[in-house]
Amino acid sequence: SRLERPRGVVYFARALAAPTTMLARVRCLATGAAIGVGASAASSYLADNPLVMTQLKRKLSEAGGGSGSEKEEKPPLVCVVKMSGQIAAPAPGGIGARQTISLSAFEPVLEQAFKVEPRCVVLELNSPGGSPAQSSLLHSRLQQLRKKHPDVELLCYTTDVCASGGYYIASACDEIFVLPSSIVGSIGVVSPSVGLVELLRKWGVEDRTLTAGTSKAGDSPLRARDPVEVRKKEMLLEELHADFKAKVEAARGSRLKHYEAATYHRAAGEISRDQ
């Protein structure tokens, strides 16, 4: 994990979900001194994240070079946007509405982070995944912002988890940095389901669902499995998976270690030795 070339002032824009609105906290740190209303909170953040503090110190020490007037005129900035929680479409309210990651929740903060033209924007990402649609929307918006601001690097710093849709979002970044204990990857799609037919029959409950059209009920847990509906669901999952893999391969390119991944799967018994 590292933060690219911060020198002088480091600008923190941390996005946190609040009960009714998205709060953007802006904190400024100077070398040796904390500035602004959020100074104590920013200092506490760095104290709680020693790895980030170590990288900041290292990068500050490496940021020599150039003329003195250039260094003092406009110190480079680093904008940090914190994304934490499940990826899901925004809900109007209710349980869980405050902790989701979605395009509408983070687009204003991301736009502001790039707008100030920092040296780089850092996503502090902690998410197990969630909605394929919201993951794709955020991935696309990040790529658009990178194209609009070509001189601003986009980095991802992963804490606990960066899996599934979380990795989908992270793959839009120029580089991804993880901790040895971070859980990263899980490039796939899942559709959890259970069958309740025998349970309903045992208790004398009858499914009376009515439909108009051939694909409305789908693979309903209230009915016996229909091979046609199961195959339709599998085709949908395969389509979403193919899109996920294509986006990751396009974004990560040669940095993907296919041989190491295959070796891991062989060791786990997921694929045979001759594959």
Side-chain angles (χ1 to χ4, degrees):
S1 173
R2 64 188 175 92
L3 299 180
E4 283 291 315
R5 299 182 291 278
R7 175 162 48 89
V9 177
V10 182
Y11 172 103
F12 285 82
R14 301 185 62 200
L16 301 174
T20 55
T21 60
M22 181 63 61
L23 304 179
R25 303 178 183 177
V26 178
R27 300 187 174 94
C28 297
L29 300 179
T31 307
I35 304 174
V37 176
S40 61
S43 299
S44 175
Y45 168 76
L46 291 177
D48 293 339
N49 293 268
L51 182 57
V52 176
M53 188 69 244
T54 300
Q55 299 301 330
L56 281 174
K57 288 180 178 179
R58 180 170 65 84
K59 285 301 173 181
L60 286 168
S61 67
E62 293 175 357
S67 65
S69 60
E70 290 177 341
K71 289 191 290 182
E72 298 299 329
E73 183 177 346
K74 187 178 180 182
L77 307 176
V78 173
C79 294
V80 179
V81 179
K82 184 173 183 178
M83 292 184 175
S84 181
Q86 193 81 8
I87 303 169
I95 298 175
R98 294 175 293 175
Q99 290 141 359
T100 59
I101 298 172
S102 67
L103 177 64
S104 62
F106 281 91
E107 185 174 27
V109 180
L110 291 170
E111 287 184 347
Q112 181 61 31
F114 277 90
K115 186 177 180 180
V116 299
E117 294 295 334
R119 179 63 60 85
C120 67
V121 174
V122 179
L123 301 184
E124 184 190 329
L125 189 58
N126 179 24
S127 175
S131 165
Q134 291 299 318
S135 301
S136 179
L137 287 169
L138 279 164
H139 177 96
S140 298
R141 187 67 184 116
L142 287 169
Q143 289 191 320
Q144 291 169 0
L145 289 168
R146 285 177 59 196
K147 186 176 181 179
K148 184 178 179 180
H149 304 272
D151 295 330
V152 179
E153 286 189 276
L154 178 60
L155 308 177
C156 176
Y157 167 63
T158 295
T159 53
D160 297 85
V161 183
C162 180
S164 194
Y167 188 80
Y168 197 155
I169 295 171
S171 67
C173 300
D174 294 298
E175 296 185 67
I176 302 173
F177 302 99
V178 303
L179 299 170
S181 55
S182 299
I183 299 175
V184 182
S186 186
I187 302 173
V189 186
V190 61
S191 176
S193 181
V194 296
L196 302 177
V197 176
E198 294 301 323
L199 180 64
L200 296 179
R201 183 179 294 115
K202 178 179 179 180
W203 291 96
V205 180
E206 179 184 3
D207 174 32
R208 295 183 177 181
T209 303
L210 300 177
T211 63
T214 58
S215 301
K216 297 304 294 182
D219 184 30
S220 172
L222 305 180
R223 300 181 178 183
R225 303 208 82 176
D226 181 342
V228 174
E229 295 300 334
V230 171
R231 183 56 192 146
K232 286 180 180 178
K233 179 182 282 190
E234 290 174 344
M235 291 170 63
L236 175 60
L237 296 181
E238 290 166 1
E239 183 178 343
L240 292 172
H241 190 205
D243 175 69
F244 191 173
K245 290 192 295 183
K247 294 291 178 59
V248 170
E249 289 176 351
R252 304 297 294 159
S254 60
R255 287 168 290 190
L256 295 174
K257 300 178 179 179
H258 296 286
Y259 178 78
E260 291 185 14
T263 301
Y264 175 85
H265 286 295
R266 289 192 187 97
E270 294 184 16
I271 58 178
S272 63
R273 295 286 175 182
D274 57 351
Q275 286 183 289

